Each structure stands twice: as structure tokens, then as C-alpha cells.
Amino acid sequence: MSGVGEAARLAAPGESGVWRYAALLPQLDAAHRLTLGEGNTPLVRSRAIARELGLHRLYFKLESANPTGSYKDRISAVGVSAALARGRAALIGTSSGNAGASVAAYAARAGLPYHLLVLEHVAEAKIGQALLHGARIRKIAGFGTSTEVGERVFRYIEAAAQRANWEVMITAFRYNALAMEGVKTIAFELYEQLGGRAPDAVFAPAGGGGLCAGVDRGFAELAARGL
């Protein structure tokens, strides 16, 4: 089977955003699938840095081209769509910046309230985008500096979600493994953009490690399909 031919079949015709790969994502009714045009980000060949490193083919995947400026939009598209499918009344989570902005945008698209808990001294520029999309933001004293406060915040989020039928939207496999499935689409796009082959290596930043784990999972699924 041709790699290029199989790559073409990974994407569903007529779908947009991460839902181009609906068959490889959590199965949600089409009526609940939200998209703001996330994904399908450019793969740009390096010139200067590749030359410095002595590499012939080095590419940058420009995830800043997503609607709110980060790969978190892939997660939000899947997670907020799942919240709609489950009949959730609202979303709740915590973020220091990109995730909050992303979830806020998709929550606004879905018409769902979004409760966002942030560090007491969070950079105002980082929460400006979330405010623009209508997030209900609370600053928590000691959050980010006290382990005890941090643990209380996460316990509160989980308890509030259970009590009020809210969806926990924290971009980590521990808190919302289904939403994190959206990260796999980076691997699927790389495979397509390289003409039906996997790259020799992918370099990704690692905070909690969810981005690395999600991309790895995507390539594992391609391998399971014989690719």
C-alpha cells in the first residue's frame, strides 16, 4: 500500500480542523464537533538553523498559526466538543496562559460558561485573551507557590465538576485524557505533509509532557496501521 495514498485516506473529505481525522479521534456525533479552523498548520523548511546544525532537512511546525496561537486549540476542539456531547453545563480548569485562552475561545463557540482559576500573580497579558472570550476568572492566593494551595485548587476543580455537571478542561492526560487525543493530529499532519512518511525525529518542548506523549501516540497509531 502506498504511503502517500494511505495518507490521503487519513483525512475525511468535507471535514475541517482536527475533525479531518475524525475516524482516529474519539467518536462524537458530527452535530457536536466544534472547530475554529485549528490544525493544518504550516510545515516550513529551515534555512539558517539547519545550516548551523549541518542538517539537510529540518522543518518547523508553526503551531502559532492555530486560532488562539497555540497547539492547545487541538485539545480544546476535542474536549469542548465532548463536553457538548455529554451535556455538560459548563467548563472548569486552570491555566497559566495558552490553555485558558484556547478553552475560553471554544467555550464561547459552544455557548458554555468557562470557570478559570489562575495564579494570584499571573501575567495580565496571558489572561487577556481568555477575558475577551468571556471566561470567568478567579485569582487564587498562593496558587503556584504553595503545594498545599495547588492541591486544594485541583481538588476543588474536580469536586465542582462532579457536583455541577461541569467538564474539567485541564490540558493534561490525568485530568482529561479524551481531550488530549487532539494532540495526535500533529503526528497525522506531519505524516501527510512529508508525503506519506514519518520524520526521523520530532523535537517538542516538554512542560508536563502532554505534547510529547500525544505526538508519540499519533505516530504509534500510524505504525499500528502499517505506516
Side-chain angles (χ1 to χ4, degrees), residues 109-190:
R109 181 70 165 177
L112 291 174
Y114 174 39
H115 304 272
L116 176 60
L117 282 63
V118 300
L119 312 184
E120 180 181 13
H121 302 296
V122 67
E124 294 300 324
K126 288 202 169 196
I127 61 172
Q129 197 174 356
L131 284 169
L132 179 67
H133 293 299
R136 303 172 184 184
I137 298 177
R138 294 189 217 170
K139 293 181 179 180
I140 309 298
F143 188 27
T145 56
S146 165
T147 301
E148 181 186 355
V149 171
E151 290 173 351
R152 285 169 55 198
V153 167
F154 287 106
R155 285 199 302 269
Y156 168 80
I157 288 172
E158 292 180 308
Q162 187 171 8
R163 181 177 64 251
N165 188 35
W166 294 353
E167 184 80 6
V168 175
M169 274 300 298
I170 298 175
T171 54
F173 280 99
R174 175 182 174 183
Y175 294 102
N176 198 321
L178 187 147
M180 292 297 290
E181 292 288 288
V183 182
K184 298 188 304 186
T185 57
I186 294 175
F188 304 154
E189 288 177 18
L190 288 172

Side-chain angles (χ1 to χ4, degrees), residues 68-124:
T68 72
S70 82
Y71 79 96
K72 302 282 188 176
D73 290 341
R74 299 174 185 270
I75 302 170
S76 296
V78 176
V80 179
S81 294
L84 279 178
R86 292 166 171 167
R88 301 300 196 202
L91 308 165
I92 186 170
T94 181
S95 166
S96 61
N98 290 337
S102 179
V103 176
Y106 284 81
R109 181 70 165 177
L112 291 174
Y114 174 39
H115 304 272
L116 176 60
L117 282 63
V118 300
L119 312 184
E120 180 181 13
H121 302 296
V122 67
E124 294 300 324

Side-chain angles (χ1 to χ4, degrees), residues 30-49:
H32 295 125
R33 295 177 193 163
L34 292 174
T35 181
L36 292 175
E38 68 291 330
N40 198 29
T41 54
L43 189 65
V44 178
R45 191 164 184 169
S46 170
R47 291 183 177 178
I49 295 177

